C-alpha cells in the first residue's frame, strides 16, 4: 500500500487505477483488522468514552455515502437506517450519545453486507468519474482521497480500542494475520542532541502535492532558539523507573488536568502494561501480550508524558519538558539537512 497518492500526474487513466488500488487496499486492510475479532467483541465497550467497535466498522463506509450526497454526486442512500446510526461518533456536546439504549446495532453480517454495497458503489464511481490533473479540492477524486484517509485514521484509532479488549474476545487464528514484533533488548543510554537556533515553516500550502485536511492549511514561520533533545524516544525501561518511584502517586509531578485524569483512571502504570504477581509487567500489543520490551518506546498519553518530564526535571536538576510542534519541525529539518528559511 502506498503511503499517499500524489495529486500530480499526466496520465488520467493511470491515476484512476492508482486511486482504485489505494481505495481497495485500504478498505480490505480495514476489514482484515476487524476480522480478527470474535462477534461479541464488536459489541463490547472496551473504552467507555467510545462506541462499540461495530459502529466504527460501519462508520467509514457511511462517511463515503454522506460525502457523495453532500457533494451532489448522488442523491441515493445505500441504507438510510444504518447510515443514520453510523454517521456520527462521540460528540462531547451530547450528554446521551453513548447511551446504548439509543442504538439497535446490526449484526456483523448485516454491517458487512452494507459495506460490500458501499464498496461496489465507490469502485464504480472511481471507474467512471471525471479526473483532471493535478487533483484539486473541486475534483471528485478529492472526495475519494478524503474517504481513504479517513478510513486510514480509523484503522489506527480502532486498533487502539481493540488493544483494550480482553484477549478471549480475539480470534487467535485470524489474529495471526497481524504478527507482532517480538524482538526486545536493553534500552540504550539516553543521549542528547543539540539543535541550533533555526527558523521553521509550519502549515501546508496549496502547492503541496498530497491530500490534506482543512486544518492543515495555512502558513506560519517561527524562530526556534537552540535546544537539546534526546536522541531516542523514552523507553519502557526508562519509564519503568518513574513507575517504580511511585510517580503515579505523587501529585507534584502532575498538572491539574493530570490529577483529574488520575482520579478517573486510577492508573499506577501505562494503559497497555499489566502487572504480574511476581512484580513484573507484560505489554499488551494489538492481539497478544508479551514480557515488557524494555527497549521499545513507552506508550503513554500527554498527561503521563508531562508528569514523567517533571519527575526527570526534579531528578536531574535540569529543565526537562516535551517539545512543542515547531521544535519537532526543527528536529526533522535538522535530520534532513535542509536549509532554514
Amino acid at each position: 500500500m502506498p503511503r499517499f497518492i500524489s495529486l500530480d500526474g499526466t496520465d488520467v487513466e493511470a491515476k484512476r487505477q492508482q486511486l482504485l488500488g489505494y481505495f481497495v487496499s485500504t478498505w480490505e486492510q480495514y476489514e482484515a483488522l476487524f476480522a480478527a475479532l470474535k462477534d461479541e467483541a464488536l459489541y463490547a465497550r472496551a473504552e467507555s468514552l467510545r462506541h462499540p467497535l461495530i459502529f466504527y466498522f460501519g462508520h467509514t463506509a457511511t462517511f463515503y455515502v454522506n460525502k457523495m450526497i453532500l457533494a451532489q454526486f448522488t442523491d441515493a442512500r445505500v441504507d438510510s437506517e444504518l447510515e443514520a446510526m453510523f454517521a456520527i461518533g462521540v460528540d462531547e456536546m451530547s450528554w446521551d450519545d453513548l447511551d446504548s439504549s439509543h442504538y439497535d446495532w446490526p449484526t456483523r453480517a448485516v454491517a458487512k453486507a452494507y459495506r460490500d454495497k458501499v464498496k461496489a458503489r465507490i469502485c464504480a464511481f472511481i471507474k467512471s468519474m471525471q479526473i483532471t490533473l493535478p487533483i484539486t479540492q473541486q475534483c471528485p477524486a478529492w472526495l475519494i482521497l478524503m474517504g481513504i484517509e479517513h478510513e486510514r485514521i480509523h484503522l489506527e484509532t480502532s486498533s487502539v480500542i481493540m488493544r483494550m479488549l480482553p484477549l478471549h474476545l480475539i480470534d487467535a487464528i485470524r489474529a495471526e494475520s497481524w504478527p507482532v514484533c517480538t524482538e526486545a533488548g536493553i534500552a540504550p543510554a539516553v543521549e542528547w542532541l543539540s539543535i541550533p537556533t533555526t527558523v521553521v515553516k509550519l502549515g501546508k500550502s496549496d502547492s503541496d502535492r498530497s491530500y490534506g485536511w482543512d486544518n492543515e492549511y495555512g502558513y506560519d514561520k517561527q524562530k526556534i532558539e537552540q535546544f537539546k533533545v534526546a536522541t531516542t524516544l523514552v523507553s519502557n525501561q526508562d519509564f519503568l523507573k518513574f513507575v517504580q518511584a511511585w510517580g503515579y502517586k505523587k501529585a507534584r509531578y502532575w498538572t491539574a488536568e493530570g490529577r483529574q485524569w488520575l482520579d478517573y483512571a486510577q492508573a499506577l502504570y501505562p494503559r497497555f502494561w499489566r502487572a504480574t504477581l511476581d512484580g513484573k509487567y507484560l505489554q499488551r500489543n494489538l492481539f497478544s501480550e508479551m514480557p515488557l520490551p524494555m527497549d521499545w518506546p513507552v506508550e503513554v498519553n500527554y498527561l503521563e508524558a508531562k508528569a514523567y518530564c517533571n519527575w526527570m526535571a526534579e531528578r536531574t536538576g535540569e529543565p526537562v519538558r516535551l517539545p512543542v510542534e515547531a521544535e519537532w519541525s526543527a528536529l526533522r529539518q535538522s535530520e534532513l539537512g535542509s536549509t532554514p528559511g
Side-chain angles (χ1 to χ4, degrees):
M1 182 188 297
R3 291 183 59 191
F4 64 89
I5 295 289
S6 171
L7 304 180
D8 286 328
T10 57
D11 187 330
V12 167
E13 291 310 310
K15 184 63 64 177
R16 188 187 309 279
Q17 292 305 311
Q18 192 179 25
L19 284 165
L20 182 62
Y22 194 40
F23 165 75
V24 170
S25 62
T26 299
W27 187 278
E28 292 179 349
Q29 186 177 33
Y30 193 69
E31 292 195 343
L33 180 69
F34 282 81
L37 306 181
K38 296 180 180 178
D39 284 354
E40 55 265 41
L42 293 171
Y43 308 95
R45 289 288 295 280
E47 167 51 65
S48 62
L49 300 179
R50 293 292 180 266
H51 283 307
L53 283 158
I54 188 67
F55 168 84
Y56 300 100
F57 186 56
H59 171 66
T60 57
T62 291
F63 183 88
Y64 279 101
V65 177
N66 286 341
K67 291 301 181 184
M68 288 183 70
I69 291 174
L70 184 64
Q72 299 183 332
F73 291 129
T74 183
D75 59 3
R77 293 206 164 272
V78 176
D79 187 312
S80 58
E81 183 176 344
L82 289 181
E83 283 154 6
M85 186 182 304
F86 289 145
I88 301 175
V90 176
D91 180 356
E92 66 274 14
M93 300 305 292
S94 300
W95 63 270
D96 62 348
D97 60 359
L98 285 173
D99 186 343
S100 59
S101 66
H102 292 188
Y103 299 92
D104 183 16
W105 299 115
T107 64
R108 183 202 289 262
V110 168
K112 178 62 168 66
Y114 168 72
R115 284 185 58 88
D116 289 346
K117 292 176 183 177
V118 175
K119 180 183 180 183
R121 176 180 288 195
I122 301 304
C123 285
F125 181 71
I126 295 173
K127 292 175 182 178
S128 62
M129 69 183 180
Q130 181 178 0
I131 298 178
T132 57
L133 297 174
I135 297 170
T136 68
Q137 295 186 30
Q138 289 69 47
C139 298
W142 188 270
L143 183 150
I144 298 301
L145 287 171
M146 180 187 296
I148 293 171
E149 297 306 327
H150 173 256
E151 189 156 57
R152 288 163 73 92
I153 289 172
H154 279 286
L155 182 70
E156 179 179 355
T157 57
S158 295
S159 70
V160 174
I161 297 174
M162 291 176 189
R163 289 181 73 181
M164 300 179 187
L165 288 169
L167 286 173
H168 73 266
L169 295 180
I170 307 302
D171 185 314
I173 301 300
R174 291 181 175 176
E176 291 178 357
S177 299
W178 295 86
V180 65
C181 175
T182 57
E183 296 181 9
I186 303 300
V190 175
E191 297 182 358
W192 297 87
L193 174 69
S194 181
I195 305 298
T197 299
T198 188
V199 174
V200 296
K201 297 177 181 178
L202 301 175
K204 188 177 182 71
S205 71
D206 291 334
S207 62
D208 289 337
R209 307 321 301 158
S210 61
Y211 175 83
W213 298 98
D214 55 1
N215 62 358
E216 295 180 82
Y217 288 92
Y219 177 80
D220 188 25
K221 181 183 285 189
Q222 293 185 19
K223 180 180 180 180
I224 302 301
E225 300 296 338
Q226 180 180 0
F227 66 99
K228 289 185 177 181
V229 64
T231 56
T232 55
L233 298 174
V234 175
S235 66
N236 283 327
Q237 179 177 298
D238 290 330
F239 200 85
L240 178 61
K241 298 172 185 175
F242 173 66
V243 172
Q244 293 173 333
W246 292 101
Y248 281 74
K249 287 291 189 179
K250 296 177 180 177
R252 66 181 183 274
Y253 300 136
W254 298 81
T255 62
E257 184 183 1
R259 291 191 293 272
Q260 290 179 333
W261 176 78
L262 282 175
D263 288 341
Y264 166 76
Q266 295 295 302
L268 295 174
Y269 44 79
R271 176 64 179 81
F272 297 116
W273 293 14
R274 183 170 68 83
T276 61
L277 294 177
D278 60 359
K280 297 181 180 180
Y281 294 92
L282 299 175
Q283 175 165 300
R284 170 63 183 268
N285 295 320
L286 181 55
F287 297 131
S288 62
E289 285 184 331
M290 65 184 292
L292 187 67
M294 292 300 181
D295 57 337
W296 289 22
V298 68
E299 295 179 76
V300 294
N301 63 35
Y302 167 79
L303 300 171
E304 293 168 293
K306 176 67 173 173
Y308 174 82
C309 289
N310 291 339
W311 172 75
M312 280 289 293
E314 179 183 276
R315 190 168 169 233
T316 63
E318 299 286 343
V320 181
R321 60 173 175 80
L322 298 171
V324 298
E325 181 181 359
E327 288 169 336
W328 276 112
S329 295
L331 176 59
R332 289 191 293 269
Q333 182 173 279
S334 173
E335 289 178 331
L336 294 174
S338 59
T339 302

